[in-house]
Each structure stands twice: as structure tokens, then as C-alpha cells.
């Protein structure tokens, strides 16, 4: 039941002009592939410390989130479809957030036997983000440590046939740049949003960064013929919130987006509440305002937890520690790292910049935004 505190906090957040928060669940750390820039199996305790929330926990969290007018939940991993109870998890989230909620998932699209997009959609899934870094099976396997892009494409086709929104996540690497451009060109004929994602200098990608990193500006220059006269796709048209910018080349069915967290700060656009497999809720990846949800689930005090989360997200507006790095999607490793309460957790993954340091330049042509 909404309280005065609840109404005050939601009104204060709305006054910031930022998009309303959404839930971003990491359902597991297990993955049956091994992408070169992720490599989840490199963790010594890989898969052994998830202690995952139950389907009832997810349903309860979603029900409380619905009271706070949250209408979106996104599930990732690991590979979330490896959970035996994934359909029940999706159904619980959809029921909790209520009608017209957006329930999404990031997956490599090589679904396990017995699971289909149709079953996920029937459970309540409304959109799908597919990881696809090359259309060539051999080169794709080199990047992703297995899997088959042809299977991913069949998953994509099935999702589109069901009327689901689809995004494609493609990480940019210099060695595989032509592969990325071929993936991006899928948007010429398909109503999909292809997201070209800058490599980030964290975790296993640190070994690749110096030789493989290419920034958004360089990619735009190489694809200038595509983007000449391209119109920007609004968030409303896109249908889901994203920190990137999306352009639709003239005559294309879909769009191309850029997620450029190495060259373009996106902290001001942050609106997600990360929830780890163990039930730790994080209103910011890089600054510890974490709150464990399991005690609140046990005591039926999730309203207090969400009040803390909304207040923490409001407080980020005045905290210099953010520095635009909010979108680092690296919480699985950090679930194993000590996170001192109330202090920035930037090293050794990211540099701590002095407050007067020059920020990386990020000018986007369609908006002139710096």
C-alpha cells in the first residue's frame, strides 16, 4: 500500500526528469558459452556462489516494485535460460509488475532443448536482446567459445513472428569489425535494433583492449554512408529504455544503436536497479548503496528496501564518484568483491579521476550533445 514516504520519493524522482527506474536481474552466473571479453568460467568459484533467489522471491520483489510504479524488468546472466525455472521466473515478474509491463531478457539465443521463444513469450516475455557478434559460424565460435549464429537467427525470427521487440547486442572488436558491420546490416531488412557496443577495459577484456578497442566516432566515420541523413529513433518508438543512441538509415526496417561506455558517459541516464543472483540490490554499480533483499523478503519489509533504493538513486545526482561510469555491467565479479559501504568501488577496474579532470569527449552528431 503506498505511503506518504512512497509518494514523496516517487514524486522527487519524477521531478529529476529521468526515466522511472526498472529492475535488472542477473539470474545466474552460469553460461554454456565463453565469450572472449566476458569469460565467466575464469572465476575460481564459477557457479558455486549464486545461492539464487526463488521464483516466489522474484514474484514478491516484482509485486512491491509494481507498487512503486515500476513497469519493467530485465533478466540477464550468465545465460538466464539455463535456469530450470526460467518460465516460472518470467511469469512471476509479469504477474507482479502487472498488465502492460515490459519483461525482457538477454540471451545468446542457443536455447536449451525443451525451451522455446514461444514458451518464454507465453510466460510473459515481451522483448528479447540477443548476443550476436558474427554471422560466420567459425568466427562466431572463436568469439563466443561455442554456439551457432544460425541458431540465434532462428530464435530471432521466432521472436519477431510472435510480435516481440528484438535487439541485437554486438561488441565491437577491430579484428572482427567486418563481422560487426554484417550483423548491423541485418537491420536493413529486419525490424530490429542492432546495438554496437564499445569494448570496456574491465575483466578479461583488459587483455584485448589495447589492440581491439575501437570507439563510436571511428565506427561512425567508417559507416558514414549509412548514417547520412539517418533519423534518430526516439525512446518511445524504440519501446524500451536504453542508454544508447539509435539511428535509422533511410529506407531501413530497423535501427543501429551505439552503447559507448568507454567514450561516452551515460550516468545521467541511469535508471536501473541491479539485483544479483544472491538478492543484493544495487542502485549504482560503482558506488556502494547496496541493500540485501533476502532479509526484507523474510520480514515482509520490501517497501523499506525500495525506499532506500529510490533515495540512493536520487542521491547520485550530487555524487562526484559516478563520473559517467554507471553502465558497467560487471556485477557478477563484484558479487565476489568486498564493497565497503558508502565508498566508491572503482579500482582496480576503473580509474578514479580527480573532480577537475577533463572528461572524455563524446559529441553525437544528431544532438550536438557533449
Amino acid at each position: 500500500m503506498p505511503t506518504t514516504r512512497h509518494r514523496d520519493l516517487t514524486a522527487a524522482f519524477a521531478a529529476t526528469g529521468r526515466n522511472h527506474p526498472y529492475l535488472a536481474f542477473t539470474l545466474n552466473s552460469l553460461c554454456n558459452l565463453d565469450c572472449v571479453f566476458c569469460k565467466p568460467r575464469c572465476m575460481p568459484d564459477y557457479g558455486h556462489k549464486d545461492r539464487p533467489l526463488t521464483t516466489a522471491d522474484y514474484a514478491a520483489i516484482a509485486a512491491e516494485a509494481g507498487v512503486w510504479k515500476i513497469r519493467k524488468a530485465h533478466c540477464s546472466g550468465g545465460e538466464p535460460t539455463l535456469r530450470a525455472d526460467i518460465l516460472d521466473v518470467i511469469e512471476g515478474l509479469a504477474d507482479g509488475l502487472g498488465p502492460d509491463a515490459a519483461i525482457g531478457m538477454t540471451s545468446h539465443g542457443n536455447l536449451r532443448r525443451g525451451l522455446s521463444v514461444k514458451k518464454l513469450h507465453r510466460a510473459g516475455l515481451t522483448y528479447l536482446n540477443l548476443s550476436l557478434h558474427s554471422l560466420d559460424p567459425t568466427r562466431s565460435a572463436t568469439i563466443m567459445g561455442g554456439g551457432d549464429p544460425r541458431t540465434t537467427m532462428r530464435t530471432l525470427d521466432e521472436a519477431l513472428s510472435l510480435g516481440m521487440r528484438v535487439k541485437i547486442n554486438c561488441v565491437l572488436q577491430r579484428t572482427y569489425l567486418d563481422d560487426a558491420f554484417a550483423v548491423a546490416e541485418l537491420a536493413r531488412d529486419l525490424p530490429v535494433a542492432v546495438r554496437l557496443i564499445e569494448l570496456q577495459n574491465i575483466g578479461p577484456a583488459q587483455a584485448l583492449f589495447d589492440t581491439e578497442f575501437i570507439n563510436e566516432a571511428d565506427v561512425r566515420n567508417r559507416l558514414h554512408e549509412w548514417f547520412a541523413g539517418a533519423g534518430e529513433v526516439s525512446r518511445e518508438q524504440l519501446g524500451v529504455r536504453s542508454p544508447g543512441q539509435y539511428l535509422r538509415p533511410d529506407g531501413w526496417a530497423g535501427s543501429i544503436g551505439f552503447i559507448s561506455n568507454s567514450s561516452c558517459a551515460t550516468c545521467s541516464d541511469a535508471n536501473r536497479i541491479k539485483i544479483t543472483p544472491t538478492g543484493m540490490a544495487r542502485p549504482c554499480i560503482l558506488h556502494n548503496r547496496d541493500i540485501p533483499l533476502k532479509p526484507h523478503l523474510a520480514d515482509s519489509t520490501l517497501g523499506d528496501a525500495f525506499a532506500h533504493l529510490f533515495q540512493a538513486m536520487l542521491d547520485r545526482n550530487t555524487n562526484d564518484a559516478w563520473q559517467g561510469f554507471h553502465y558497467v555491467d560487471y556485477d557478477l565479479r563484484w558479487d565476489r568483491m568486498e564493497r565497503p559501504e558508502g565508498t566508491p568501488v572503482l579500482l582496480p577496474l576503473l580509474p578514479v579521476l580527480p573532480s577537475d579532470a577533463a572528461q572524455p569527449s563524446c559529441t553525437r552528431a544528431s544532438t550536438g550533445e557533449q
Side-chain angles (χ1 to χ4, degrees):
M1 189 73 176
T3 63
T4 300
R5 178 178 58 168
H6 161 272
R7 286 189 288 268
D8 289 347
L9 284 171
T10 52
F13 192 90
T16 68
R18 300 216 309 265
N19 238 42
H20 202 66
Y22 74 94
L23 305 179
F25 292 99
T26 302
L27 297 186
N28 57 7
S29 64
L30 295 171
C31 186
N32 51 351
L33 301 186
D34 203 34
C35 294
V36 295
F37 36 76
C38 180
K39 301 189 78 66
R41 300 174 199 172
C42 74
M43 297 303 295
D45 58 357
Y46 168 67
H48 296 300
K49 288 191 177 180
D50 279 359
R51 301 183 300 279
L53 298 171
T54 67
T55 55
D57 292 335
Y58 288 112
I61 293 168
E64 180 61 37
V67 174
W68 290 77
K69 298 182 179 180
I70 292 175
R71 293 293 180 266
K72 176 183 173 182
H74 187 85
C75 301
S76 63
E79 172 53 41
T81 62
L82 294 182
R83 281 190 63 140
D85 60 356
I86 186 61
L87 296 177
D88 294 330
V89 171
I90 296 298
E91 185 175 2
L93 295 176
D95 289 345
L97 294 184
D100 301 323
I103 310 295
M105 176 186 293
T106 297
S107 170
H108 53 53
N110 286 245
L111 304 183
R112 57 179 167 80
R113 183 174 299 178
L115 186 64
S116 66
V117 180
K118 186 174 183 179
K119 289 182 179 180
L120 290 165
H121 182 58
R122 188 181 298 138
L125 198 72
T126 62
Y127 72 92
L128 189 60
N129 292 2
L130 293 170
S131 299
L132 183 62
H133 309 293
S134 175
L135 298 177
D136 179 85
T138 301
R139 292 170 69 82
S140 177
T142 301
I143 299 169
M144 301 183 70
D148 190 329
R150 293 166 295 190
T151 302
T152 303
M153 288 301 299
R154 287 193 290 271
T155 298
L156 183 154
D157 290 338
E158 185 179 0
L160 291 177
S161 72
L162 293 168
M164 298 173 65
R165 295 182 182 271
V166 177
K167 290 182 182 178
I168 297 174
N169 293 337
C170 182
V171 175
L172 294 164
Q173 299 180 82
R174 286 189 180 274
T175 298
Y176 299 100
L177 205 54
D178 288 341
D179 297 81
F181 293 165
V183 171
E185 200 160 4
L186 291 173
R188 185 186 296 273
D189 299 316
L190 296 174
V192 298
V194 178
R195 311 202 299 180
L196 300 177
I197 303 172
E198 285 184 349
L199 197 66
Q200 291 181 275
N201 194 18
I202 53 178
Q206 288 177 304
L208 310 170
F209 194 82
D210 289 346
T211 56
E212 294 293 345
F213 174 73
I214 182 169
N215 64 28
E216 174 186 330
D218 195 345
V219 172
R220 281 176 179 265
N221 287 336
R222 292 168 186 250
L223 300 179
H224 67 275
E225 292 183 0
W226 285 3
F227 296 127
E232 184 169 355
V233 182
S234 69
R235 295 301 206 286
E236 290 74 19
Q237 288 177 290
L238 195 63
V240 292
R241 186 64 167 172
S242 172
Q245 182 189 45
Y246 292 80
L247 302 171
R248 178 173 287 120
D250 187 39
W252 285 40
S255 60
I256 298 175
F258 291 94
I259 307 295
S260 305
N261 302 300
S262 292
S263 66
C264 295
T266 55
C267 193
S268 62
D269 215 19
N271 69 321
R272 64 182 186 168
I273 298 170
K274 291 287 290 184
I275 300 176
T276 73
T278 60
M280 187 68 71
R282 294 176 176 165
C284 178
I285 298 298
L286 290 172
H287 204 269
N288 189 354
R289 294 294 183 267
D290 302 357
I291 184 170
L293 297 183
K294 283 186 176 180
H296 291 280
L297 285 161
D299 297 339
S300 299
T301 56
L302 280 174
D304 294 337
F306 273 86
H308 167 91
L309 293 168
F310 268 73
Q311 186 62 61
M313 295 186 81
L314 285 169
D315 291 343
R316 94 168 41 166
N317 281 352
T318 57
N319 193 314
D320 292 336
W322 273 230
Q323 299 179 16
F325 287 117
H326 95 276
Y327 202 72
V328 178
D329 197 354
Y330 211 58
D331 63 310
L332 284 176
R333 271 76 172 183
W334 290 13
D335 212 12
R336 276 67 159 170
M337 291 174 60
E338 183 179 353
R339 288 166 59 85
E341 185 176 354
T343 60
V345 185
L346 296 175
L347 293 176
L349 302 180
L350 293 169
V352 178
L353 302 179
S355 58
D356 59 348
Q359 299 298 315
S361 177
C362 174
T363 302
R364 285 178 164 166
S366 65
T367 61
E369 183 185 54
Q370 187 77 26

